[in-house]
Amino acid sequence: MGKLTVRALRAVLVVVLAGTVFVQAGMVWALASGSDPEDGSLPLTPLRVITILGMVSVQVALVCVWRLVAMVRRGTVFSHAAFRYVDVMIGAIVSASLAWFAVTALNAPGQRDDPGVTVIMGGVGVAILGVALMVLVLRMLLAQAVARDVEAAKMQAELDEVI
């Protein structure tokens, strides 16, 4: 992975992380100040809490990606230590999808006249789960690569003994 690619990815990660912190701060401020009274059309307090928790999921995934990029730069990504970050990332993506499904459920009663919005939101939740499944497949590929790397190291050691 080139230096420019790593810098660009890290810049994107920092911008997204800053954006999620900004959203969280706005939600906490709205909850704490009570300056935005609910008009009854949507349950705003549960939506704000779910948004805060959803942003935590995104932030956890961002930190895991940052750590994996650091491992790629050091050449240590094909090790058992990488599995921890990939597993946490899968969990964060699944929890983000669950938060999205909760938002969909809270929004659904207001969409009785037009249930298509709820169907679309449910589809987005399924797509988020699909991302978790893709990362799971990539984890399996990482497991195969680590196993081959261990096998190659053993073979190299045996070859060194013979020579």
Side-chain angles (χ1 to χ4, degrees):
M1 196 179 233
K3 287 184 180 183
L4 181 62
T5 305
V6 170
R7 286 183 185 151
L9 179 57
R10 286 187 173 166
V12 168
L13 293 174
V14 166
V15 168
V16 173
L17 186 64
T20 59
V21 169
F22 180 74
V23 169
Q24 280 178 317
M27 293 294 133
V28 169
W29 177 257
L31 284 172
S33 69
S35 62
D36 188 17
E38 296 185 24
D39 64 357
S41 63
L42 282 176
L44 292 180
T45 300
L47 284 173
R48 287 186 179 122
V49 171
I50 292 168
T51 300
I52 291 167
L53 295 175
M55 293 294 113
V56 169
S57 298
V58 171
Q59 291 164 347
V60 168
L62 291 172
V63 169
C64 289
V65 170
W66 185 283
R67 296 295 301 152
L68 288 169
V69 168
M71 292 179 81
V72 168
R73 284 296 290 155
R74 289 191 311 262
T76 60
V77 75
F78 294 114
S79 66
H80 293 286
F83 290 112
R84 174 180 38 175
Y85 298 113
V86 175
D87 291 340
V88 170
M89 191 175 358
I90 291 169
I93 295 168
V94 169
S95 68
S97 72
L98 294 175
W100 184 259
F101 284 130
V103 168
T104 303
L106 285 171
N107 188 46
Q111 300 297 327
R112 287 194 178 116
D113 294 336
D114 186 15
V117 172
T118 303
V119 172
I120 291 170
M121 289 179 71
V124 170
V126 171
I128 295 169
L129 280 175
V131 171
L133 289 172
M134 284 188 277
V135 175
L136 181 62
V137 168
L138 294 173
R139 183 196 185 285
M140 290 180 210
L141 292 173
L142 177 64
Q144 287 180 353
V146 168
R148 302 239 172 156
D149 195 40
V150 168
E151 184 180 338
K154 286 180 184 177
M155 293 176 84
Q156 184 65 41
E158 289 175 7
L159 185 61
D160 289 344
E161 287 179 12
V162 170
I163 296 176

mmCIF file of all heavy atoms in Angstrom, residues 34-65:
data_model
loop_
_atom_site.group_PDB
_atom_site.id
_atom_site.type_symbol
_atom_site.label_atom_id
_atom_site.label_comp_id
_atom_site.label_asym_id
_atom_site.label_seq_id
_atom_site.Cartn_x
_atom_site.Cartn_y
_atom_site.Cartn_z
ATOM 1 N N GLY A 34 -32.767 20.234 25.934
ATOM 2 C CA GLY A 34 -34.221 20.176 25.796
ATOM 3 C C GLY A 34 -34.774 21.331 24.982
ATOM 4 O O GLY A 34 -35.946 21.675 25.081
ATOM 5 N N SER A 35 -33.933 21.922 24.150
ATOM 6 C CA SER A 35 -34.335 23.103 23.383
ATOM 7 C C SER A 35 -35.178 22.767 22.160
ATOM 8 O O SER A 35 -35.728 23.665 21.536
ATOM 9 C CB SER A 35 -33.092 23.884 22.945
ATOM 10 O OG SER A 35 -32.300 23.072 22.098
ATOM 11 N N ASP A 36 -35.270 21.497 21.816
ATOM 12 C CA ASP A 36 -36.031 21.099 20.638
ATOM 13 C C ASP A 36 -37.181 20.207 21.086
ATOM 14 O O ASP A 36 -37.067 18.985 21.083
ATOM 15 C CB ASP A 36 -35.114 20.357 19.662
ATOM 16 C CG ASP A 36 -35.804 20.091 18.337
ATOM 17 O OD1 ASP A 36 -36.828 20.733 18.047
ATOM 18 O OD2 ASP A 36 -35.315 19.236 17.584
ATOM 19 N N PRO A 37 -38.303 20.807 21.498
ATOM 20 C CA PRO A 37 -39.390 19.982 22.020
ATOM 21 C C PRO A 37 -40.003 19.113 20.920
ATOM 22 O O PRO A 37 -40.079 19.512 19.768
ATOM 23 C CB PRO A 37 -40.395 21.006 22.543
ATOM 24 C CG PRO A 37 -40.124 22.239 21.760
ATOM 25 C CD PRO A 37 -38.642 22.214 21.441
ATOM 26 N N GLU A 38 -40.418 17.926 21.334
ATOM 27 C CA GLU A 38 -41.036 17.012 20.384
ATOM 28 C C GLU A 38 -42.433 17.520 20.044
ATOM 29 O O GLU A 38 -43.187 17.938 20.912
ATOM 30 C CB GLU A 38 -41.113 15.615 20.981
ATOM 31 C CG GLU A 38 -39.759 15.000 21.237
ATOM 32 C CD GLU A 38 -39.860 13.570 21.725
ATOM 33 O OE1 GLU A 38 -40.872 12.919 21.452
ATOM 34 O OE2 GLU A 38 -38.908 13.116 22.365
ATOM 35 N N ASP A 39 -42.765 17.461 18.765
ATOM 36 C CA ASP A 39 -44.105 17.880 18.346
ATOM 37 C C ASP A 39 -45.047 16.691 18.195
ATOM 38 O O ASP A 39 -46.193 16.850 17.802
ATOM 39 C CB ASP A 39 -44.041 18.681 17.043
ATOM 40 C CG ASP A 39 -43.528 17.859 15.872
ATOM 41 O OD1 ASP A 39 -43.159 16.685 16.086
ATOM 42 O OD2 ASP A 39 -43.499 18.385 14.758
ATOM 43 N N GLY A 40 -44.557 15.517 18.494
ATOM 44 C CA GLY A 40 -45.395 14.330 18.454
ATOM 45 C C GLY A 40 -45.334 13.566 17.145
ATOM 46 O O GLY A 40 -45.839 12.457 17.059
ATOM 47 N N SER A 41 -44.740 14.140 16.096
ATOM 48 C CA SER A 41 -44.698 13.430 14.816
ATOM 49 C C SER A 41 -43.685 12.293 14.830
ATOM 50 O O SER A 41 -43.889 11.262 14.209
ATOM 51 C CB SER A 41 -44.393 14.400 13.671
ATOM 52 O OG SER A 41 -43.112 14.971 13.860
ATOM 53 N N LEU A 42 -42.570 12.484 15.520
ATOM 54 C CA LEU A 42 -41.550 11.443 15.658
ATOM 55 C C LEU A 42 -41.057 11.424 17.102
ATOM 56 O O LEU A 42 -40.940 12.479 17.729
ATOM 57 C CB LEU A 42 -40.352 11.718 14.748
ATOM 58 C CG LEU A 42 -40.481 11.392 13.275
ATOM 59 C CD1 LEU A 42 -39.228 11.843 12.539
ATOM 60 C CD2 LEU A 42 -40.710 9.921 13.037
ATOM 61 N N PRO A 43 -40.755 10.275 17.625
ATOM 62 C CA PRO A 43 -40.166 10.211 18.973
ATOM 63 C C PRO A 43 -38.692 10.609 18.911
ATOM 64 O O PRO A 43 -37.823 9.777 18.676
ATOM 65 C CB PRO A 43 -40.355 8.756 19.382
ATOM 66 C CG PRO A 43 -40.436 8.005 18.090
ATOM 67 C CD PRO A 43 -41.020 8.957 17.080
ATOM 68 N N LEU A 44 -38.413 11.892 19.096
ATOM 69 C CA LEU A 44 -37.057 12.408 18.862
ATOM 70 C C LEU A 44 -36.034 11.901 19.870
ATOM 71 O O LEU A 44 -34.892 11.651 19.498
ATOM 72 C CB LEU A 44 -37.080 13.937 18.862
ATOM 73 C CG LEU A 44 -37.824 14.584 17.693
ATOM 74 C CD1 LEU A 44 -37.780 16.098 17.814
ATOM 75 C CD2 LEU A 44 -37.239 14.157 16.368
ATOM 76 N N THR A 45 -36.403 11.762 21.121
ATOM 77 C CA THR A 45 -35.423 11.321 22.117
ATOM 78 C C THR A 45 -34.876 9.936 21.799
ATOM 79 O O THR A 45 -33.653 9.756 21.765
ATOM 80 C CB THR A 45 -36.028 11.380 23.534
ATOM 81 O OG1 THR A 45 -36.406 12.729 23.807
ATOM 82 C CG2 THR A 45 -35.034 10.913 24.575
ATOM 83 N N PRO A 46 -35.724 8.934 21.525
ATOM 84 C CA PRO A 46 -35.149 7.628 21.155
ATOM 85 C C PRO A 46 -34.328 7.691 19.870
ATOM 86 O O PRO A 46 -33.288 7.029 19.761
ATOM 87 C CB PRO A 46 -36.367 6.721 20.970
ATOM 88 C CG PRO A 46 -37.463 7.372 21.716
ATOM 89 C CD PRO A 46 -37.171 8.838 21.687
ATOM 90 N N LEU A 47 -34.759 8.499 18.919
ATOM 91 C CA LEU A 47 -33.986 8.630 17.680
ATOM 92 C C LEU A 47 -32.612 9.226 17.949
ATOM 93 O O LEU A 47 -31.618 8.802 17.355
ATOM 94 C CB LEU A 47 -34.744 9.482 16.661
ATOM 95 C CG LEU A 47 -35.911 8.796 15.957
ATOM 96 C CD1 LEU A 47 -36.677 9.804 15.103
ATOM 97 C CD2 LEU A 47 -35.430 7.645 15.107
ATOM 98 N N ARG A 48 -32.550 10.195 18.842
ATOM 99 C CA ARG A 48 -31.257 10.807 19.167
ATOM 100 C C ARG A 48 -30.344 9.810 19.876
ATOM 101 O O ARG A 48 -29.146 9.724 19.570
ATOM 102 C CB ARG A 48 -31.471 12.050 20.016
ATOM 103 C CG ARG A 48 -32.029 13.192 19.224
ATOM 104 C CD ARG A 48 -32.088 14.449 20.051
ATOM 105 N NE ARG A 48 -32.606 15.528 19.231
ATOM 106 C CZ ARG A 48 -33.687 16.231 19.518
ATOM 107 N NH1 ARG A 48 -34.353 15.985 20.624
ATOM 108 N NH2 ARG A 48 -34.090 17.181 18.717
ATOM 109 N N VAL A 49 -30.900 9.048 20.805
ATOM 110 C CA VAL A 49 -30.091 8.050 21.514
ATOM 111 C C VAL A 49 -29.585 6.992 20.539
ATOM 112 O O VAL A 49 -28.404 6.609 20.577
ATOM 113 C CB VAL A 49 -30.907 7.415 22.665
ATOM 114 C CG1 VAL A 49 -30.166 6.235 23.263
ATOM 115 C CG2 VAL A 49 -31.209 8.451 23.739
ATOM 116 N N ILE A 50 -30.449 6.538 19.656
ATOM 117 C CA ILE A 50 -30.034 5.541 18.656
ATOM 118 C C ILE A 50 -28.973 6.128 17.735
ATOM 119 O O ILE A 50 -28.011 5.442 17.364
ATOM 120 C CB ILE A 50 -31.253 5.034 17.864
ATOM 121 C CG1 ILE A 50 -32.172 4.215 18.779
ATOM 122 C CG2 ILE A 50 -30.813 4.186 16.673
ATOM 123 C CD1 ILE A 50 -33.523 3.913 18.171
ATOM 124 N N THR A 51 -29.108 7.388 17.375
ATOM 125 C CA THR A 51 -28.109 8.041 16.523
ATOM 126 C C THR A 51 -26.757 8.096 17.225
ATOM 127 O O THR A 51 -25.720 7.803 16.617
ATOM 128 C CB THR A 51 -28.565 9.462 16.139
ATOM 129 O OG1 THR A 51 -29.797 9.373 15.436
ATOM 130 C CG2 THR A 51 -27.524 10.162 15.283
ATOM 131 N N ILE A 52 -26.760 8.439 18.493
ATOM 132 C CA ILE A 52 -25.503 8.489 19.256
ATOM 133 C C ILE A 52 -24.856 7.107 19.278
ATOM 134 O O ILE A 52 -23.655 6.965 19.026
ATOM 135 C CB ILE A 52 -25.760 9.010 20.684
ATOM 136 C CG1 ILE A 52 -26.149 10.493 20.636
ATOM 137 C CG2 ILE A 52 -24.535 8.809 21.572
ATOM 138 C CD1 ILE A 52 -26.715 11.031 21.936
ATOM 139 N N LEU A 53 -25.653 6.078 19.552
ATOM 140 C CA LEU A 53 -25.108 4.711 19.592
ATOM 141 C C LEU A 53 -24.659 4.241 18.210
ATOM 142 O O LEU A 53 -23.632 3.560 18.082
ATOM 143 C CB LEU A 53 -26.147 3.761 20.175
ATOM 144 C CG LEU A 53 -26.531 4.008 21.633
ATOM 145 C CD1 LEU A 53 -27.656 3.078 22.056
ATOM 146 C CD2 LEU A 53 -25.324 3.869 22.540
ATOM 147 N N GLY A 54 -25.405 4.613 17.179
ATOM 148 C CA GLY A 54 -25.005 4.264 15.817
ATOM 149 C C GLY A 54 -23.684 4.911 15.439
ATOM 150 O O GLY A 54 -22.837 4.292 14.777
ATOM 151 N N MET A 55 -23.488 6.153 15.873
ATOM 152 C CA MET A 55 -22.218 6.835 15.596
ATOM 153 C C MET A 55 -21.063 6.169 16.333
ATOM 154 O O MET A 55 -19.942 6.107 15.816
ATOM 155 C CB MET A 55 -22.300 8.317 15.993
ATOM 156 C CG MET A 55 -23.255 9.136 15.147
ATOM 157 S SD MET A 55 -22.718 9.279 13.429
ATOM 158 C CE MET A 55 -23.989 8.358 12.627
ATOM 159 N N VAL A 56 -21.325 5.623 17.528
ATOM 160 C CA VAL A 56 -20.284 4.880 18.244
ATOM 161 C C VAL A 56 -19.868 3.656 17.424
ATOM 162 O O VAL A 56 -18.678 3.353 17.303
ATOM 163 C CB VAL A 56 -20.761 4.469 19.656
ATOM 164 C CG1 VAL A 56 -19.802 3.481 20.295
ATOM 165 C CG2 VAL A 56 -20.902 5.695 20.541
ATOM 166 N N SER A 57 -20.843 2.989 16.833
ATOM 167 C CA SER A 57 -20.531 1.828 15.985
ATOM 168 C C SER A 57 -19.642 2.230 14.820
ATOM 169 O O SER A 57 -18.666 1.546 14.505
ATOM 170 C CB SER A 57 -21.819 1.196 15.448
ATOM 171 O OG SER A 57 -22.615 0.719 16.480
ATOM 172 N N VAL A 58 -19.976 3.329 14.187
ATOM 173 C CA VAL A 58 -19.169 3.816 13.064
ATOM 174 C C VAL A 58 -17.763 4.166 13.538
ATOM 175 O O VAL A 58 -16.769 3.833 12.873
ATOM 176 C CB VAL A 58 -19.858 5.030 12.394
ATOM 177 C CG1 VAL A 58 -18.947 5.687 11.376
ATOM 178 C CG2 VAL A 58 -21.176 4.612 11.753
ATOM 179 N N GLN A 59 -17.657 4.812 14.682
ATOM 180 C CA GLN A 59 -16.347 5.205 15.196
ATOM 181 C C GLN A 59 -15.490 3.986 15.520
ATOM 182 O O GLN A 59 -14.286 3.977 15.238
ATOM 183 C CB GLN A 59 -16.508 6.088 16.439
ATOM 184 C CG GLN A 59 -17.083 7.442 16.116
ATOM 185 C CD GLN A 59 -17.606 8.170 17.332
ATOM 186 O OE1 GLN A 59 -17.761 7.605 18.402
ATOM 187 N NE2 GLN A 59 -17.903 9.459 17.152
ATOM 188 N N VAL A 60 -16.097 2.960 16.085
ATOM 189 C CA VAL A 60 -15.347 1.727 16.383
ATOM 190 C C VAL A 60 -14.823 1.120 15.083
ATOM 191 O O VAL A 60 -13.650 0.712 15.003
ATOM 192 C CB VAL A 60 -16.235 0.731 17.159
ATOM 193 C CG1 VAL A 60 -15.597 -0.645 17.214
ATOM 194 C CG2 VAL A 60 -16.502 1.246 18.565
ATOM 195 N N ALA A 61 -15.654 1.068 14.064
ATOM 196 C CA ALA A 61 -15.216 0.520 12.776
ATOM 197 C C ALA A 61 -14.086 1.358 12.182
ATOM 198 O O ALA A 61 -13.118 0.808 11.636
ATOM 199 C CB ALA A 61 -16.393 0.435 11.806
ATOM 200 N N LEU A 62 -14.171 2.672 12.310
ATOM 201 C CA LEU A 62 -13.118 3.550 11.783
ATOM 202 C C LEU A 62 -11.786 3.301 12.488
ATOM 203 O O LEU A 62 -10.728 3.250 11.845
ATOM 204 C CB LEU A 62 -13.529 5.015 11.933
ATOM 205 C CG LEU A 62 -14.679 5.499 11.066
ATOM 206 C CD1 LEU A 62 -15.084 6.911 11.463
ATOM 207 C CD2 LEU A 62 -14.334 5.436 9.595
ATOM 208 N N VAL A 63 -11.821 3.147 13.807
ATOM 209 C CA VAL A 63 -10.589 2.885 14.555
ATOM 210 C C VAL A 63 -9.993 1.541 14.123
ATOM 211 O O VAL A 63 -8.774 1.418 13.957
ATOM 212 C CB VAL A 63 -10.851 2.928 16.077
ATOM 213 C CG1 VAL A 63 -9.667 2.397 16.858
ATOM 214 C CG2 VAL A 63 -11.189 4.352 16.505
ATOM 215 N N CYS A 64 -10.842 0.551 13.907
ATOM 216 C CA CYS A 64 -10.349 -0.762 13.458
ATOM 217 C C CYS A 64 -9.695 -0.663 12.081
ATOM 218 O O CYS A 64 -8.642 -1.258 11.842
ATOM 219 C CB CYS A 64 -11.487 -1.777 13.436
ATOM 220 S SG CYS A 64 -12.043 -2.264 15.080
ATOM 221 N N VAL A 65 -10.312 0.090 11.182
ATOM 222 C CA VAL A 65 -9.717 0.276 9.852
ATOM 223 C C VAL A 65 -8.370 0.984 9.994
ATOM 224 O O VAL A 65 -7.385 0.610 9.341
ATOM 225 C CB VAL A 65 -10.669 1.052 8.919
ATOM 226 C CG1 VAL A 65 -9.963 1.459 7.641
ATOM 227 C CG2 VAL A 65 -11.904 0.223 8.601
#
